[in-house]
Amino acid sequence: SNCAPPQSKMLDSRCIFPTNRAMWPGIKSETGLPDAAPSVGQPGFLSFRSAYTSTQPDPGHVHCSYPSQGKLSFSLNACPRENLPTGVALPTGVALPTGALDQDEAGRRNPAGKAKGKAKKSDSNQPTDADLERIFLWDLDETIIIFHSLLTGSFSQKFGKDSDTVLNLGLQMEELIFDLADTHLFFNDLEECDQVHVEDVASDDNGQDLSAYNFLADGFHNPSGVGAATGVQGGVEWMRKLAFRYRRLKEIYNGYKGNVGGLLSPMKRELLLRLQSEMENVTDAWLSTALKSLLLIQSRGKCMNVLVTTTQLVPALAKVLLYGLGDVFPIENIYSATKIGKESCFERIVSRFGKNVTYVVIGDGRDEEFAAKQHNMPFWRITTHGDLVSLHQALELDFL
């Protein structure tokens, strides 16, 4: 939880961010779409060394029926009114839903898993750890969503799309991501204090009621520096304020994971809906296709989706919300590999869920493929739309 000294970050959410911001570690540090050809013998199928299955689905002979629930559905209705603590900037008339506050209050009364890295399970529809048989470890960019490659030009080049149209979509989505992260998810405070998991500093949280807490005036970013009365950076008081921010971040995510529009102004809600529609069109329904597999896994009783991304945690949460994936990934199942790499992230996940569970890694990059090999986990490479279709077919036929 040691952080580099916070640095002021000049951001104007009214402006389109320059392209080079997409190259920050907080967005995507790997190379995007890989240059290497898929492993021999993998028509979008598993690449690993054990006899995981002896039969590969033949895309030409497999009946593939997509459930209607696979269609993307974005709920952008306003949330019920409720007063938020000072310092959490929400649009006028929008507040944190009651359920999120009640859930957090219950969590403070029964603070399970205080140890760092131990995640609390809050979603009742998620299987308990003891019931789990299979966990799917997903990459985010260029696997579930198309984002980074919109900005680098690799998507338009690879799939023959109009480069200006694609770049403009990426820039507008990038602006929304950082606007949400900066305005509502404390990214200005947390960018230099990135964590792997939302619970990593929970042990520094004293459970204080935050309903009247003023995040803007607590001295977390004190310009007078070390030794200030508000607490030395890295000291007990400062770490507690850091933990408060991650607790509030969790509350906001849980409150708006199915209704990100409640955090946006009417103009930005309209922009998001337009961008979602245009990106589905230009990417040939990439996200919808990935979502079919995610929902199929979620519908099984003893399987779980876990997200491991090279994006910093806060922008990753903003991406998940804006791309409509909040109900697929509980915040406890989201890990950022920015600080420690994917191999170490996988190690943490195995420590959390145990070695009796089968892990399947799904991604586009060399990082997750290498990490999967190191842990002897099957790896499903996603480089084209067809790889996502084949994945869904394999899931439907219970090959995975």
Side-chain angles (χ1 to χ4, degrees):
S1 60
N2 293 333
C3 308
Q7 301 170 1
S8 62
K9 179 161 59 67
M10 297 296 290
L11 284 175
D12 186 348
S13 61
R14 294 166 296 182
C15 303
I16 294 291
F17 294 112
T19 311
N20 62 353
R21 184 164 184 179
M23 306 309 292
W24 292 4
I27 286 299
K28 176 84 170 176
S29 60
E30 55 197 33
T31 54
L33 295 170
D35 300 323
S39 301
V40 177
Q42 185 210 309
F45 203 63
L46 294 175
S47 161
F48 81 127
R49 294 187 301 274
S50 72
Y52 191 76
T53 175
S54 58
T55 313
Q56 296 188 6
D58 179 355
H61 294 87
V62 173
H63 172 68
C64 186
S65 60
Y66 295 129
S68 58
Q69 65 177 10
K71 292 182 180 176
L72 280 174
S73 161
F74 300 100
S75 169
L76 296 177
N77 299 323
C79 289
R81 264 179 200 276
E82 185 175 329
N83 291 326
L84 264 184
T86 315
V88 177
L90 295 181
T92 309
V94 174
L96 198 64
T98 321
L101 294 171
D102 293 344
Q103 180 184 352
D104 183 67
E105 186 61 38
R108 287 203 302 278
R109 287 196 298 266
N110 182 25
K114 271 289 213 176
K116 293 186 182 184
K118 297 289 183 183
K120 291 178 275 187
K121 295 170 289 299
S122 60
D123 284 26
S124 56
N125 60 342
Q126 290 288 319
T128 63
D129 291 3
D131 295 334
L132 284 171
E133 291 179 358
R134 193 158 301 164
I135 294 176
F136 293 82
L137 305 179
W138 292 80
D139 178 43
L140 182 60
D141 283 41
E142 282 59 60
T143 298
I144 299 173
I145 68 172
I146 298 296
F147 173 67
H148 181 255
S149 61
L150 299 179
L151 295 159
T152 63
S154 57
F155 184 85
S156 55
Q157 185 177 5
K158 179 170 182 174
F159 296 103
K161 305 292 183 178
D162 181 73
S163 57
D164 290 339
T165 302
V166 167
L167 176 61
N168 189 45
L169 283 174
L171 288 171
Q172 290 181 87
M173 196 68 194
E174 182 183 47
E175 182 182 9
L176 274 181
I177 289 166
F178 279 106
D179 185 56
L180 180 63
D182 291 333
T183 309
H184 303 302
L185 305 180
F186 299 103
F187 192 45
N188 283 304
D189 288 350
L190 302 178
E191 182 178 3
E192 304 298 329
C193 301
D194 191 40
Q195 303 299 319
V196 176
H197 190 270
V198 74
E199 296 288 352
D200 281 359
V201 290
S203 59
D204 295 299
D205 192 333
N206 64 0
Q208 176 181 329
D209 180 10
L210 299 179
S211 57
Y213 190 83
N214 189 342
F215 287 93
L216 293 176
D218 70 349
F220 183 78
H221 270 310
N222 195 308
S224 56
V226 176
T230 50
V232 178
Q233 181 171 5
V236 174
E237 285 299 315
W238 188 87
M239 288 300 297
R240 186 171 295 144
K241 292 167 187 173
L242 179 66
F244 288 168
R245 281 159 172 76
Y246 275 98
R247 193 208 314 166
R248 174 47 47 83
L249 174 65
K250 182 178 177 181
E251 289 173 358
I252 293 171
Y253 182 94
N254 286 335
Y256 290 94
K257 63 184 179 180
N259 176 34
V260 68
L263 290 171
L264 305 176
S265 66
M267 187 180 298
K268 287 201 167 97
R269 279 202 293 273
E270 290 301 315
L271 173 62
L272 177 60
L273 285 171
R274 180 176 61 79
L275 289 177
Q276 286 167 340
S277 173
E278 291 180 9
M279 282 194 295
E280 277 293 281
N281 183 46
V282 82
T283 64
D284 303 312
W286 187 289
L287 175 57
S288 294
T289 309
L291 193 61
K292 288 166 185 170
S293 291
L294 286 161
L295 292 173
L296 182 54
I297 291 164
Q298 191 176 44
S299 70
R300 294 174 172 178
K302 298 184 177 181
C303 294
M304 180 181 282
N305 293 304
V306 173
L307 189 67
V308 184
T309 174
T310 49
T311 301
Q312 280 184 271
L313 186 61
V314 175
L317 296 175
K319 282 184 188 177
V320 169
L321 290 173
L322 289 168
Y323 276 86
L325 295 164
D327 284 325
V328 176
F329 292 107
I331 195 169
E332 296 87 357
N333 289 354
I334 298 175
Y335 291 80
S336 168
T338 306
K339 282 172 63 173
I340 65 174
K342 293 212 167 178
E343 189 180 345
S344 295
C345 270
F346 289 2
E347 203 169 298
R348 279 190 55 166
I349 292 164
V350 172
S351 296
R352 174 183 165 189
F353 294 107
K355 293 185 177 179
N356 293 327
V357 180
T358 300
Y359 298 89
V360 179
V361 181
I362 303 166
D364 74 295
R366 297 181 184 91
D367 289 357
E368 52 264 25
E369 182 172 15
F370 178 78
K373 274 184 183 172
Q374 293 302 107
H375 288 279
N376 200 30
M377 296 172 179
F379 175 71
W380 188 292
R381 182 183 289 101
I382 302 293
T383 55
T384 66
H385 191 276
D387 295 335
L388 288 169
V389 174
S390 297
L391 172 63
H392 187 258
Q393 291 172 346
L395 288 164
E396 277 199 318
L397 294 172
D398 287 330
F399 286 117
L400 289 175

